[in-house]
Each structure stands twice: as C-alpha cells, then as structure tokens.
Amino acid sequence: MNQTQRLRYAQRIKVGFGLNMIVMAMSLSLYYLGFFGGVEGPLAMPNIGRALVGIGFTSVSFQAMLVIIFIIALTWNWVLNFATHLTGQRLTCTKGSPQEGFCGELVQRDRVPSGQGWAYTCPHGHCRNDAHFHPIRKGKLANSLLMASLVAALMFYFA
C-alpha cells in the first residue's frame, strides 16, 4: 500500500469506532438473548441443552463433532492442494537457475503431442516439461482452529 492509499488518522478512527459499535451491538444482542447466562432467553445454556437433547444430540455426538472439526482443520489444504495440482493451477516457470533467478511466471499446461506428459508454457515463451507448484498453506486462523478443536476433543475425552 503506497502513501496515497493509506487511511488518514481520522478515517482509521472512524473505521475503528464503527467496528467497535458493530461488536458492541452483537454482544448486547447475544446478552439479551441469554447467551452469556445473565438473562433468561432462548440462547441460555439450559435452553440450548434442552433443544439439543430434543433432536437427539448426545455427548458422543459432541465428541464426534469435535473430531470431525479437527480432521477437517487438519486436511482441508491437503485436499485443496491435490485438486489444484491436478487441475494445473498455481504452477510457475522453472526456466533459469538458483544463481541467476527463475522466470517465475504463471504457466499454461498443455498435453505433449505424443500424449506422454505435459508441456508448460509461460508468457515469455519458455516451454518446459516441468513447473514449480506453489501449495496453499494454512494461516493463523486455520492453525488456531486446528489446535482448539484438538484441545477441546482431548479435554472432553479425558474429562
């Protein structure tokens, strides 16, 4: 972001104030619906428990849900990277060397005329039989969800 695109001080204050008001409105709404336990409402913990029991949700269901969330948080990027690699996306040109640098442009994947393998062509005209794949990596949120679901599953299992 360059100097002309930066938010001025007053704009940052307005954005911060606006986000603060949104969070406060959501918190007050949840409070008056009974989510925090101070007020009787549809989101009070006993009412949530009765509703879950009414649909057949048990402690084993809760354990299974925590394990499923953990498995999804652990494997979503493996599945996405596998599908992305199969479709030929996120591939870059490997023309060059580590000393002089690589081309690094996105490539287009085409079948070799003989039908044996792939040819990767970049916008600079480099045509090679290999390309570098850039996998999607998990961010802080995904790793936090992964660890939180693991800890919750272990706590619930050993409690």
Side-chain angles (χ1 to χ4, degrees):
M1 190 187 304
N2 65 26
Q3 197 70 9
T4 59
Q5 292 175 329
R6 283 202 175 133
L7 293 177
R8 291 189 306 248
Y9 179 73
Q11 289 173 324
R12 285 194 313 253
I13 294 293
K14 284 193 288 187
V15 168
F17 180 74
L19 291 174
N20 199 2
M21 290 297 108
I22 291 170
V23 169
M24 189 175 79
M26 290 172 50
S27 297
L28 286 173
S29 300
L30 288 173
Y31 174 78
Y32 285 113
L33 288 172
F35 187 71
F36 301 116
V39 175
E40 184 61 33
L43 295 182
M45 293 303 157
N47 294 339
I48 291 175
R50 280 191 289 277
L52 290 175
V53 166
I55 60 172
F57 198 81
T58 64
S59 61
V60 175
S61 305
F62 186 67
Q63 282 180 321
M65 181 187 69
L66 289 174
V67 169
I68 288 170
I69 290 172
F70 172 72
I71 291 171
I72 290 171
L74 181 66
T75 60
W76 71 265
N77 72 320
W78 300 346
V79 173
L80 186 61
N81 282 331
F82 181 69
T84 303
H85 198 282
L86 283 180
T87 59
Q89 299 173 0
R90 301 182 62 87
L91 298 169
T92 58
C93 183
T94 57
K95 175 77 173 167
S97 68
Q99 292 79 20
E100 60 190 41
F102 294 101
C103 173
E105 289 290 325
L106 290 175
V107 296
Q108 182 152 5
R109 183 173 76 171
D110 298 312
R111 270 277 180 213
V112 174
S114 66
Q116 302 281 331
W118 298 97
Y120 301 96
T121 309
C122 80
H124 296 297
H126 304 135
C127 187
R128 301 183 55 88
N129 60 356
D130 64 336
H132 181 72
F133 178 67
H134 298 274
I136 296 170
R137 291 185 170 80
K138 292 180 194 169
K140 292 178 184 177
L141 179 65
N143 285 323
S144 298
L145 180 62
L146 171 70
M147 295 313 295
S149 63
L150 175 64
V151 168
L154 289 174
M155 284 173 45
F156 195 77
Y157 180 74
F158 289 114

